[in-house]
Amino acid sequence: MLPRVAVVIMAAGKGTRLKSQLPKVLHEVGGKPLLAHVVAAASRVVPPADIFAIIGHEASRVRAALASTGIRFVLQEEQRGTGHALMVAQSALSGYDHVIVLSGDAPQITPQTIAQLLNFHLDEHAAMTLLSADLDNPTGYGRVLRKGSRSAEVQAIVEEKSASPAQKKIREINAGFYVFDVSLLFEHIKKLSTANPHSEYYLTDMAEVLRLARQRVVVWKTTNSVEVLGANTRVELSFIDYQMRMRKTHALMDAGVSIFYPASCVIDNDVEIASDTVLEPFVQILGRTRIGANCRIRSYSVIRDSEIADGVHIRPGCILEEARIGPNAVLGPYSHLRPGSDIGEAAHVGNFVETKKIKLGKGSKANHLTYLGDAEIGAGVNIGAGTITCNYDGVHKHTTVIEDGVFIGSDSTLVAPVRVGKGAYVAAASCVTENVPEDALALGRARQITKEGWASKKRAALNSPGKNDGSEKKLPPK
Ligand code: UD1
Ligand code: CA
């Protein structure tokens, strides 16, 4: 019968060294919380229902942030050390044979390594198996004391604070990932003590406890040492973030995406980009954004949670949030596409245009200085410069409908709810408050008055002596 395996992720700590209100495991690298990375890796090894996050500090915030993953939570109300974190999980683990223990602050762990650690543990019939790595700078980590230099068997793990000068020279560190035989763990866990510099129950002490109980404790070393790096300080967070983003840009380039000056681009882990798309320097592509092939994303654009089809050209300085862009559309420079913007094939959205919750049909254009909100705009529509949909009456939002082939003259205001029928014209500077039928012209502006010669008379009056006490500048003669 297959052994029943659970994963426990220790995530209850405060993260004192970050000096933050936010719990440590919710600090982000690669655009998502540390804990979300660990959960994603663990979910590739066991189903989410077999993953238990130990939470404590700001537990409700951590629970809310991870709720959608389907994992389970165990509350460790007082955080009395990594050993104590496992003590509180005892009843949750009663139905399992083995437990993989991961650290919520080490986000680069891979599913492959988790699976290899588990297999090694099962093959070795061990009570405890720990993951180690050789680090050039092991300062701060627990060190692995092996029974012999070639032995996989472990004597003990010694924490930095308790290590002798000789032990501090050991470069093989305890990664903080383990597999335990569940019944042996809980049979012996009561033997942990708090006799150490932090007065905590150290899970690391289980190595010695189990060895003294004549149980088998072994170590498996990974050669990919970046996987084990923990984020305990802001500097470590930024280093891990940098490494992840570099790996992401390299993976995208390997898949056929051109990225100029990759170190200047911020691309989140879950972003997808198809081949022959070009990213210019200083772009940010965030969240769950998907970009098609043959696009060009020019400098200083920030794109979050958006879907961009093939052949789209995004000129400099655009901001997109939860937007959908059809094939061969052209945006910017300086367009702001807010949530629900759905831009059709080959449509244009230009300089200083803001859109929200709109559909802009195929080939339609809104090129300059415009606000389009809560609007359904058909195909082949021309929205003149300075057009505004007045969608808000102070309480409710209303919809503007502009049908196919409409021409909206510059500086028009469309007071919603309002509909402009197919092929109609709205004259420049109109205020449209009533529906416009198909193929009609709507004119909604004051009639022009022209006063011949008015300007020259005005100049003459201002420049004549006596009329001007010197406080006003003289107007130049025409
Ligand atoms: C731990 C190990 C150390 C190892 C290092 C690897 C111990 C005593 N030491 O040290 O040997 O080299 O990880 O990164 O285990 N946590 C809880 N409840 C608690 C205390 C901590 O859930 O009561 C969680 C923390 O939120 C964190 C994880 O356990 O996610 C590790 O705790 P942390 O304090 O960061 O341990 P380290 O000092 O890094
Ligand atoms: Ca840590």
Side-chain angles (χ1 to χ4, degrees), residues 330-400:
V330 180
L331 310 181
Y334 310 113
S335 306
H336 184 188
L337 283 79
R338 292 167 48 205
S341 296
D342 184 348
I343 309 304
E345 183 178 346
H348 289 195
V349 176
N351 311 254
F352 305 105
V353 174
E354 175 183 347
T355 66
K356 186 219 71 174
K357 223 173 154 195
I358 66 151
K359 213 172 149 37
L360 186 66
K362 187 173 172 177
S364 291
K365 290 175 184 161
N367 271 332
H368 328 270
L369 303 158
T370 285
Y371 172 63
L372 300 172
D374 301 290
E376 283 167 36
I377 302 165
V381 170
N382 186 81
I383 306 282
T387 298
I388 289 172
T389 54
C390 308
N391 58 331
Y392 188 47
D393 60 13
V395 182
H396 297 109
K397 299 280 167 70
H398 302 282
T399 306
T400 300

Side-chain angles (χ1 to χ4, degrees), residues 83-140:
H84 182 249
L86 265 286
M87 291 176 192
V88 301
Q90 182 163 5
S91 61
L93 295 175
S94 61
Y96 296 94
D97 302 313
H98 300 276
V99 58
I100 301 168
V101 179
L102 305 176
S103 206
D105 66 349
Q108 301 191 87
I109 187 71
T110 60
Q112 293 76 8
T113 296
I114 299 171
Q116 276 171 319
L117 189 69
L118 174 64
N119 289 338
F120 188 74
H121 171 85
L122 297 174
D123 291 348
E124 291 282 325
H125 301 285
M128 172 180 184
T129 302
L130 56 114
L131 181 73
S132 74
D134 287 332
L135 294 189
D136 291 337
N137 178 11
T139 310

Side-chain angles (χ1 to χ4, degrees), residues 448-463:
Q448 180 172 334
I449 300 167
T450 307
K451 297 185 175 177
E452 294 276 354
W454 181 92
S456 57
K457 276 184 212 149
K458 174 80 176 170
R459 265 192 301 272
L462 286 172
N463 289 340

Side-chain angles (χ1 to χ4, degrees), residues 17 24 103 105 230-232:
R17 288 164 278 182
K24 167 154 77 172
S103 206
D105 66 349
N232 300 297

Side-chain angles (χ1 to χ4, degrees), residues 278-333:
V278 178
L279 306 185
E280 293 191 358
F282 299 102
V283 299
Q284 297 192 30
I285 319 269
L286 308 172
R288 306 208 153 268
T289 297
R290 280 165 47 191
I291 301 178
N294 291 305
C295 294
R296 190 168 189 105
I297 316 293
R298 306 204 50 201
S299 295
Y300 316 117
S301 290
V302 180
I303 302 173
R304 180 188 295 280
D305 294 326
S306 295
E307 226 173 281
I308 295 166
D310 295 344
V312 171
H313 183 181
I314 300 185
R315 294 182 173 134
C318 291
I319 299 174
L320 278 71
E321 282 170 77
E322 294 170 41
R324 281 183 56 183
I325 315 298
N328 304 315
V330 180
L331 310 181

Side-chain angles (χ1 to χ4, degrees), residues 81-291:
T82 48
H84 182 249
L86 265 286
M87 291 176 192
V88 301
Q90 182 163 5
S91 61
L93 295 175
S94 61
Y96 296 94
D97 302 313
H98 300 276
V99 58
I100 301 168
V101 179
L102 305 176
S103 206
D105 66 349
Q108 301 191 87
I109 187 71
T110 60
Q112 293 76 8
T113 296
I114 299 171
Q116 276 171 319
L117 189 69
L118 174 64
N119 289 338
F120 188 74
H121 171 85
L122 297 174
D123 291 348
E124 291 282 325
H125 301 285
M128 172 180 184
T129 302
L130 56 114
L131 181 73
S132 74
D134 287 332
L135 294 189
D136 291 337
N137 178 11
T139 310
Y141 288 88
R143 310 295 206 284
V144 179
L145 310 184
R146 294 190 183 230
K147 279 192 176 171
S149 59
R150 284 160 177 226
S151 169
E153 282 191 76
V154 173
Q155 188 97 10
I157 300 168
V158 53
E159 289 302 294
E160 170 88 18
K161 283 221 168 133
S162 316
S164 67
Q167 289 168 334
K168 281 187 181 158
K169 293 214 174 84
I170 298 174
R171 285 176 48 229
E172 185 175 18
I173 61 97
N174 167 39
F177 306 120
Y178 320 86
V179 187
F180 288 96
D181 177 299
V182 170
S183 58
L184 291 172
L185 170 67
F186 291 115
E187 187 184 328
H188 296 285
I189 202 167
K190 303 161 206 77
K191 296 179 191 164
L192 289 182
S193 89
T194 56
N196 54 54
H198 285 118
S199 305
E200 288 185 346
Y201 293 104
Y202 287 170
L203 187 58
T204 46
D205 287 345
M206 282 309 294
E208 192 169 15
V209 164
L210 286 165
R211 177 179 60 83
L212 292 173
R214 304 191 161 279
Q215 298 299 333
R216 193 167 163 75
V217 180
V218 294
V219 56
W220 185 76
K221 195 197 283 185
T222 172
T223 50
N224 183 16
S225 59
V226 297
E227 278 192 64
V228 308
L229 298 182
N232 300 297
T233 64
R234 304 261 180 178
V235 172
E236 287 171 357
L237 271 173
S238 83
F239 181 66
I240 291 172
D241 181 72
Y242 175 78
Q243 283 187 321
M244 274 192 180
R245 294 191 188 283
M246 277 299 106
R247 270 206 304 279
K248 180 69 186 179
T249 53
H250 290 176
L252 288 169
M253 289 189 272
D254 286 343
V257 178
S258 286
I259 304 179
F260 299 152
Y261 296 100
S264 74
C265 296
V266 176
I267 304 173
D268 282 354
N269 253 32
D270 296 338
V271 165
E272 292 172 33
I273 306 178
S275 66
D276 288 322
T277 282
V278 178
L279 306 185
E280 293 191 358
F282 299 102
V283 299
Q284 297 192 30
I285 319 269
L286 308 172
R288 306 208 153 268
T289 297
R290 280 165 47 191
I291 301 178

